[in-house]
Structures are given as structure tokens and as C-alpha cells.
Amino acid sequence: MTVLLALGVVALPPWLALQEARRQAYVAESEQVRRYAMDVLRRTDGTAQQIDAAFRQLKQSGFAPCSAESLDLMRQIDLGSSYLQAVGYVREGSIVCSSMGGAPMALGQPGYRTSAGVTIYQDIPLSRPGQLPLMAVGRDDQVALIHRDLPIDVWTDVPGVALGVLHVGGLGLPIARGPVDPAWLQKLGTGFEARFTDTRFVVSVLRSHKTQFVAVAAVPLAELDRRADAIARRLVPAALLAGLVVALAILMLARRQLSMEAALRSALRRDEFFLCYQPIVRLQTGEWVGAEALLRWRRADGTLVGPDLFIPVAEQSKLITRITERVLRLVAHDACHFLTVHPDFHIALNLSADDLHSCAIVDRLCVMIRDCGAQPANLIVEITERGFLNLSSAREVIGSLRDKGIEVAIDDFGTGYSSLSYLESLDLDFLKIDRSFIEAIGTGAPISLVVGHIIAMARSMGLRMIAEGIESEAQAAFLRERGVEYAQGFLFGRPMSFAELVQRFKEREHAALVQQARAGADA
Ligand SMILES: Nc1nc2c(ncn2[C@@H]2O[C@@H]3COP(=O)(O)O[C@H]4[C@@H](O)[C@H](n5cnc6c(=O)[nH]c(N)nc65)O[C@@H]4COP(=O)(O)O[C@H]3[C@H]2O)c(=O)[nH]1
């Protein structure tokens, strides 16, 4: 499973890099092809504008066609325009005079006529083989000569580019370089721009805002592939490397987890676990009312492993229920006798999500209490927010525990993400305020305000509170003033062996008795 995951992690980034390379290539290629189409459109519009301006200038001059003044004006127009080769006058299908001078010249058959009264002569006899073909555009008795391919005379270093000028009216213009497909026009619809790929090209179609012309440009898909390959050559190795690093990390983590899991199994076999107990005090009086059982693992080489390290692995590897069983046996071994003579003292036990899958844990705790000769009130069960993953079964187990007289606390409250939602739906006895909130008391940090809200909320829900991780008298005073009932922390006692706990408990009991006796004597 882990190997499959690692393989997936190695393969995924290169695959994503390939997709990204393709995407970037398409963006770059379609931008490029659009630039070509823009260039064609700019030239087409420029030509149309210059023709129109020339015709208007001639008309507005009032000079008689072919008069010396009009010839002079035609030459000036010719010189001043970049796209026109010549302007002149037409009579009966021939240029009778023009800025070029020379004898009258037949224009040949008109190619077609636009709805605006413009006649296009596609192939005029003046065109010479080897030279750019000329075409004439006539309106009324005026005519302009242009190089037919000037609008598509766009420089490009991309092989196989197709460029063309089409007419929205569907007039078949011969202005095309490469395999321009008139069907591309349909993609435009009523819009002014379309960009797409067909089976062979990345295509850009741009419609003029000023004329009825449409510029098209297309770059072969092979060019897109070439660009995508070039980008992929940069991205894929980096992605592969990233995938390898993550896969390696996963494998190492899995190995560590596996070795930790194996070590936990052997620790269970070799009985390497023991419990420490940390006193829980009544805040108003300082009286020790209970203790939390905290599991420790002493490895064969003598090193101590804290629960923060091994409990998560035990939870993931489903060893946690076996570990909980070991905890119960250790508690029974350590505390049975003490609990039978101190029915008001409780031991708090930590349970994990897997322990709450069924009510078997309730039966197991009841057996332990019975065998001990203790009372259900001698036990408190602590459950963290992770324990409520399966809310319905957790609710059932909690209900059953409370029915038997075992009280239940929510541990590390506020460190999860959905606290309130399930807190309201569960019947609990205690709320343990997490150490992170206690640490913030008196610091002025924004989080320091949270503890006040938690206290108010717990009170409104009728929950008693145990504050965790109290290290200073100031923290204790703060919580005492706000009515928090119980507390736990280094200020009152670090986790210790049960023998030490009993010893210190007795010393405190003795001290209290001595104090009571003194008070009695004084009175
Ligand atoms: N800095 C500081 N720390 C304080 C102070 N007072 C208590 N602590 C530490 O805070 C933790 C309190 O336990 P927890 O919130 O139930 O958190 C426990 C509990 O969730 C889990 N755990 C411990 N034993 C068991 C067990 O038997 N079963 C399960 N499922 N989880 C356990 O491991 C967690 C860590 O336990 P520990 O390492 O023993 O760490 C303990 C305790 O040593 C203080 O004043 N200052």
C-alpha cells in the first residue's frame, strides 16, 4: 500500500508537469497566433482605410477626373500612403488615368461586388509572374491598386503558418497563405474573436470593428507539441525530483512507523509499559481528589518514550485497544487497594477512538471495578476530540459509562476543530481545559481571552472543569477566581509512581490532620 502510494507520488508530479507544459504551450501558442491575426487585421483595416480616404479626397477635391490637378493629387495620395500602389479613374472596365501614368489598362473581369458598392478585381493583367500579384478595388469611377498579399505579408519564423483575410459576407477572397479553412469563420458566430484548435492547427480568428473583413491565423499543432516538449523538458525533471523527495519521505516515515509498530508489539509482549500518576486537585482547597494515569514506555535499552510519540502510532496501527487493556491491568495492579479505602479518590484514564467503537470497554471497566472491589466513581474516563470521530458509537458508549456511574471528561478541549457542534450533542461530566489556553493566561495574547469563554460555556452546559497544565500560582488564582473546580499541573505535582503518589497523599492527609488538631487546640 505504502509502496503503491510512493509510486503514485513519484508519477503524479511529472504527469501534472506534462499537463502544465501542454497548458502553458497552448497559452503561448494561442497568444502568438493571435498576434499574427492582429497583424493581418491591422494591415487589412489600414488598406481599407487608405483606399476609402483616397476616394474621398479625390471626390472632395472637385477636380475633373484625369485633369492635370487630379493627376497631381493622385500622385500625392500615392506617395503619402503605405498600402496603395496607385489610384486612378475607371471607365468601362479600364483604368483611363492613374498615379502611375501610362496608357489605359483593362482591369479584366470583376471578381465580386460587396453590398457597399465596392468592386474587387482579383487578377488584373498588370500582375507580372514573379512579382507580388496586384488587385484593384473600385468604387464608382475611382480605383485603387494594391498588392493583393500585402495584408498577409506578416513576418513569422514558424513553419507552416496559415494566414488569410476572409469576408463576413462569405465573399471568397483569394487572400490566403497556407491552408486557410473558410469553415473557421463559423467559430466566430456573432463575436469578434475566436481562438481554438482544430485537428491540425491552433487558430485565431479576429473580426474587424471597422470593416467586413476577418483576419485568420493558424499555427500547426506540431508547433504546439514542439513548444510543449520544450517546456516539459524544463518542468518534468523538477517535478520528478519533487515526487522522488516526497516518496522518499513517505517511505522513510512508513519505515519508521513500521519499526515503531513492531517495537510496540514487542513492548506489549515484554511488558515494557508502566504508569505514572499526576495528582488532580480541588482548586479551592488544594486537596488531592484524584490522579490521571499517564502511560510510559521504558524500552529494553532503558530509554523512556513518551505517549505523545507512541500513542498516535498505536492508534494508527490498531494496537491501541491492546494498550488500553494493558493500562487497565496496570491501574488495577497499582491502585486497587488504595481505591477501596478511598472511595472519593478517582483515577482518570485516557481512552482512544478505537476503544469507543463498542460497549465492550464499558463491560471491561465494570469487571475491573468489581474485581478491585472499588466503586464506579473511582474512575473517570478522558476522551479527546479525536475519540468522537464516530459520534454515534461514542455517544452510545458514553451513555453506557454514565449509566454505570463512571464519569466522562472531554480532554484537550478546544484543540480540535468541531468542538462545539458535538459537545452540545454529548452528555458529559467534565471539561478539561487544554494546557495551551492555560499557558496564555496573563500573557495578553489574543488566545488568553479564550479561557474565559471556555469557562462560561462549560458552566452554561453544566460541566465541571479541570484545568490542565497549571505551572504558576497566578494561573491557579485566575482559575480559582473564575470558579474552575479542579486543576492539574506541575504546580501541584508532576507525574509520579503510584507509590510516591500514595506517600505524598498520606503526608498531606497527615499535615491536614495536624493542622486541624492545632486549630481545635487554639479554639
Ligand atoms: N508542560 C507541562 N505539561 C504538563 C503539565 N501538567 C501535565 N502535563 C502533561 O500534559 C499531559 C496531560 O495529559 P493529556 O492531556 O491527557 O495528554 C496525554 C494523553 O492524551 C496521551 N496519553 C497518556 N497516557 C495515555 C494512555 O494511557 N492512553 C491513551 N490513549 N493516551 C494516553 O498522551 C498525552 C501526553 O501525555 P504526557 O506526555 O504524559 O503529558 C501529560 C502531562 O505530563 C504542566 O504543568 N506543564
Side-chain angles (χ1 to χ4, degrees):
M1 182 66 185
T2 313
V3 175
L4 272 181
L5 180 69
L7 282 176
V9 166
V10 173
L12 186 66
W15 182 80
L16 289 175
L18 283 175
Q19 306 304 312
E20 177 59 14
R22 191 93 199 144
R23 191 194 65 80
Q24 284 186 17
Y26 177 75
V27 169
E29 214 59 51
S30 65
E31 276 304 320
Q32 166 91 310
V33 83
R34 184 177 187 274
R35 278 196 295 276
Y36 291 149
M38 284 287 280
D39 220 358
V40 170
L41 193 64
R42 191 177 47 77
R43 287 161 168 271
T44 308
D45 279 352
T47 307
Q49 267 171 353
Q50 286 187 7
I51 292 172
D52 191 52
F55 288 171
R56 250 185 299 113
Q57 219 179 329
L58 283 175
K59 189 147 267 167
Q60 282 165 5
S61 71
F63 298 142
C66 300
S67 64
E69 295 94 329
S70 81
L71 278 170
D72 206 32
L73 181 59
M74 284 190 281
R75 274 193 288 274
Q76 280 175 36
I77 290 171
D78 194 356
L79 283 173
S81 63
S82 48
Y83 293 120
L84 308 187
Q85 303 307 307
V87 279
Y89 283 95
V90 177
R91 205 173 305 133
E92 290 163 9
S94 291
I95 298 177
V96 284
C97 64
S98 76
S99 55
M100 290 185 302
M105 181 185 68
L107 282 169
Q109 284 304 310
Y112 49 81
R113 229 177 134 75
T114 71
S115 53
V118 174
T119 309
I120 310 280
Y121 301 83
Q122 289 173 2
D123 217 357
I124 59 174
L126 198 63
S127 301
R128 299 268 178 276
Q131 290 179 350
L132 281 179
L134 283 170
M135 108 183 189
V137 178
R139 191 168 72 196
D140 302 333
D141 58 349
Q142 297 160 324
V143 70
L145 293 181
I146 54 171
H147 281 307
R148 195 189 65 193
D149 291 342
L150 202 63
I152 55 170
D153 191 22
V154 171
W155 183 86
T156 149
D157 58 352
V158 179
V161 167
L163 302 170
V165 179
L166 301 169
H167 190 271
V168 278
L171 301 175
L173 286 177
I175 305 177
R177 184 168 122 198
V180 170
D181 184 350
W184 290 340
L185 206 57
Q186 286 160 18
K187 292 268 187 186
L188 199 57
T190 52
F192 282 88
E193 175 166 3
R195 258 189 278 183
F196 53 91
T197 50
D198 76 352
T199 50
R200 293 184 304 148
F201 291 97
V202 181
V203 185
S204 170
V205 184
L206 289 177
R207 174 194 189 142
S208 169
H209 287 266
K210 300 175 188 137
T211 67
Q212 295 286 292
F213 294 113
V214 171
V216 292
V219 168
L221 285 182
E223 198 54 29
L224 180 71
D225 295 341
R226 191 195 58 72
R227 196 189 281 263
D229 285 351
I231 299 173
R233 273 196 292 280
R234 271 189 291 117
L235 292 187
V236 171
L240 191 66
L241 194 70
L244 279 171
V245 169
V246 176
L248 207 69
I250 288 176
L251 286 174
M252 278 169 66
L253 265 177
R255 237 188 87 186
R256 230 181 83 182
Q257 169 116 358
L258 272 180
S259 58
M260 175 71 105
E261 190 183 321
L264 274 177
R265 283 180 199 284
S266 116
L268 276 165
R269 272 196 310 275
R270 296 189 201 185
D271 228 351
E272 291 176 353
F273 294 106
F274 65 97
L275 286 174
C276 280
Y277 297 84
Q278 185 177 31
I280 296 171
V281 307
R282 196 186 305 280
L283 252 181
Q284 288 301 332
T285 59
E287 174 197 358
W288 288 17
V289 295
E292 180 177 1
L294 295 163
L295 193 58
R296 300 287 181 263
W297 172 16
R298 180 171 288 114
R299 301 188 74 156
D301 61 3
T303 49
L304 257 187
V305 189
D308 278 342
L309 275 181
F310 66 81
I311 293 287
V313 179
E315 285 178 341
Q316 277 161 29
S317 56
K318 304 286 171 199
L319 281 173
I320 190 67
T321 48
R322 286 179 61 193
I323 288 185
T324 301
E325 173 57 30
R326 183 60 50 91
V327 169
L328 297 190
R329 273 199 252 156
L330 288 167
V331 169
H333 172 268
D334 293 340
C336 264
H337 175 67
F338 184 83
L339 294 179
T340 51
V341 288
H342 293 93
D344 295 336
F345 196 88
H346 73 260
I347 298 291
L349 296 170
N350 287 283
L351 292 188
S352 291
D354 276 2
D355 297 316
L356 305 175
H357 277 171
S358 80
C359 286
I361 185 70
V362 185
D363 299 337
R364 179 65 189 91
L365 288 171
C366 288
V367 167
M368 183 191 125
I369 292 165
R370 192 195 61 211
D371 291 353
C372 247
Q375 303 298 319
N378 282 132
L379 285 190
I380 290 183
V381 162
E382 293 189 7
I383 305 169
T384 61
E385 295 177 44
R386 292 193 309 279
F388 302 125
L389 280 179
N390 184 341
L391 194 56
S392 65
S393 79
R395 195 182 288 132
E396 197 186 330
V397 173
I398 290 169
S400 180
L401 282 168
R402 298 184 78 231
D403 285 348
K404 303 280 184 201
I406 300 171
E407 292 188 303
V408 181
I410 175 167
D411 198 4
D412 301 343
F413 180 75
T415 54
Y417 55 92
S418 56
S419 318
L420 255 183
S421 54
Y422 61 71
L423 194 62
E424 281 169 345
S425 72
L426 291 168
D427 277 334
L428 299 163
D429 299 286
F430 293 96
L431 181 150
K432 290 194 85 171
I433 306 172
D434 188 64
R435 180 152 55 92
S436 51
F437 302 116
I438 304 299
E439 272 171 2
I441 291 173
T443 58
I447 193 177
S448 64
L449 302 173
V450 176
V451 75
H453 295 301
I454 294 179
I455 291 170
M457 193 194 63
R459 186 151 310 123
S460 75
M461 296 176 82
L463 296 174
R464 282 166 286 158
M465 288 163 272
I466 306 171
E468 274 188 319
I470 296 181
E471 294 185 354
S472 71
E473 188 46 58
Q475 291 167 341
F478 178 95
L479 295 160
R480 207 177 287 125
E481 271 167 34
R482 283 158 184 78
V484 172
E485 294 88 348
Y486 304 102
Q488 181 183 349
F490 293 171
L491 179 68
F492 310 105
R494 288 179 179 259
M496 59 190 90
S497 70
F498 199 74
E500 188 183 345
L501 183 93
V502 172
Q503 174 67 28
R504 289 180 59 183
F505 181 85
K506 283 182 177 162
E507 285 166 11
R508 294 175 65 83
E509 250 186 349
H510 179 71
L513 280 174
V514 170
Q515 209 177 2
Q516 246 178 5
R518 274 202 199 124
D522 288 350

